[in-house]
Amino acid sequence: MSQPRPPAPDLQSSDIEALLTRLRSVAKFKERSYTTSKNVHIPLLRQAQHDFRTGTGPGPVVCLVGDSMFERMTTTGRTPNFVAPWPSPFMLDETTMSLAADLDQRGRVFNAGVGGDRIQNIAYRLAGTGEDAQRAPSDSSQEEGEGKADDGCLPALLPLLASFTTIKLWVVQAGTNNMMPKKGLRDADREALRVLLRTLLDVNPTGGECRVLVTGLFYRRDLTRELVDKANDKIRLVVDELNEACGGERVAFLPACEEVNPDEHLEDHVHLTPEGYRLWTRKLAPAVLSLLTSSS
């Protein structure tokens, strides 16, 4: 019979509040971000937390943070959230099938992807609104997809994830929904990404430091390749700056899979087909395994 685990030592309240304050400086409300986090992700994590503390279930070792590219792993990719194996056999092919057992041995993967999320919406979900907040941060310009300010209270996802003290790797796919025709990824979005990544680096597991894997943005049908290339250059620069500030290689950048052809492997202007996910998995799964192995 499994023995209950002692309560995991949470981050000091002053430390976690500083991280949440940092995230809220760039956070923006979106209706779908609010509802998915409150009704799907948080209940799943709370149940996992109960199982972890009673010794009946594992804590997450990898957390996928991002937009529909991750969320659709649970639908198009047929990979249920927080179950083994990750990725599902549906996303694997003969090249990556052998990785499934190795990844499974490393621990569970929690998928915190939400369709339509911009970098600022991801920050909103991680930071929540605070127990006493009456309104969530919103964009006064009312950009498409942002919605009106939320009158409810959204619990913060970050402290809940941090409470397991088991996460060794954050995988971030963000910026797709920030890109605009003719403008691409704006400098303000680049700064929001830096804040997001810096915050994730400050949430460490017991007895070590976590790492972050940032995945590059894919080519799309509605934007020029030049705009996507410039956006990825900005993201890579953020990664380089953070590594310099950390004095190490705690952040890795994984370019988008070159084999993914927008004319063949997208269901619409941006979302991957099943074959697109299999091609991505050929690069993503080995990168995740490599970083978990090197951090052990």
Side-chain angles (χ1 to χ4, degrees):
M1 183 175 180
S2 299
Q3 295 297 317
R5 291 183 176 91
D10 296 337
L11 288 173
Q12 294 294 323
S13 59
S14 59
D15 293 338
I16 195 65
E17 191 56 41
L19 297 184
L20 298 183
T21 298
R22 183 194 299 168
L23 285 173
R24 288 172 188 152
S25 70
V26 298
K28 293 179 182 177
F29 166 83
K30 180 167 67 69
E31 181 67 30
R32 188 173 174 185
S33 306
Y34 172 82
T35 56
T36 302
S37 190
K38 190 166 188 176
N39 299 331
V40 180
H41 293 159
I42 289 174
L44 179 58
L45 275 177
R46 283 179 171 161
Q47 180 60 52
Q49 185 183 57
H50 173 268
D51 295 343
F52 180 71
R53 289 184 170 174
T54 58
T56 59
V61 174
V62 178
C63 184
L64 310 179
V65 181
D67 50 37
S68 59
M69 302 299 281
F70 281 157
E71 185 180 48
R72 284 187 172 222
M73 285 184 177
T74 67
T75 53
T76 303
R78 301 184 190 179
T79 303
N81 201 354
F82 203 57
V83 299
W86 181 93
S88 68
F90 184 79
M91 286 177 59
L92 300 172
D93 57 22
E94 66 279 359
T95 305
T96 48
M97 193 67 71
S98 61
L99 295 172
D102 291 334
L103 283 167
D104 189 27
Q105 291 176 358
R106 294 288 168 179
R108 293 286 178 87
V109 175
F110 184 79
N111 188 330
V114 173
D117 263 16
R118 300 178 183 182
I119 298 165
Q120 293 85 347
N121 305 138
I122 298 169
Y124 163 72
R125 290 191 286 120
L126 290 171
T129 57
E131 293 300 323
D132 299 323
Q134 295 301 310
R135 282 189 173 270
S138 63
D139 185 359
S140 59
S141 67
Q142 292 295 303
E143 295 180 59
E144 182 180 356
E146 293 296 338
K148 297 180 180 179
D150 167 39
D151 290 326
C153 178
L154 180 67
L157 199 61
L158 188 67
L160 190 54
L161 287 162
S163 70
F164 289 95
T165 68
T166 55
I167 294 179
K168 294 184 178 180
L169 180 65
W170 304 89
V171 186
V172 179
Q173 159 67 225
T176 294
N177 298 302
N178 290 84
M179 287 195 292
M180 303 173 63
K182 298 183 180 180
K183 293 184 179 179
L185 192 69
R186 301 171 300 182
D187 289 341
D189 300 322
R190 176 186 176 279
E191 174 59 19
L193 180 64
R194 187 194 64 78
V195 170
L196 173 65
L197 299 181
R198 175 71 258 188
T199 302
L200 295 178
L201 284 173
D202 288 339
V203 181
N204 295 321
T206 300
E209 290 184 328
C210 65
R211 300 185 71 179
V212 174
L213 173 63
V214 184
T215 61
L217 306 180
F218 289 90
Y219 291 128
R220 298 161 47 162
R221 292 179 185 168
D222 60 341
L223 293 176
T224 66
R225 287 179 172 247
E226 182 182 10
L227 283 178
V228 178
D229 286 338
K230 287 182 177 179
N232 279 321
D233 287 342
K234 289 185 177 183
I235 293 172
R236 192 190 294 268
L237 182 59
V238 172
V239 170
D240 292 341
E241 290 172 349
L242 286 172
N243 279 327
E244 183 177 356
C246 293
E249 296 296 324
R250 290 184 58 199
V251 189
F253 179 78
L254 180 69
C257 181
E258 295 179 354
E259 287 79 9
V260 173
N261 185 330
D263 295 325
E264 298 179 20
H265 303 119
L266 297 185
E267 291 185 342
D268 45 31
H269 66 289
V270 64
H271 297 112
L272 296 175
T273 62
E275 181 60 23
Y277 273 109
R278 294 186 190 104
L279 292 172
W280 192 19
T281 301
R282 288 183 186 177
K283 294 189 68 174
L284 182 60
V288 168
L289 181 59
S290 175
L291 289 171
L292 287 177
T293 302
S294 64
S295 64
S296 299

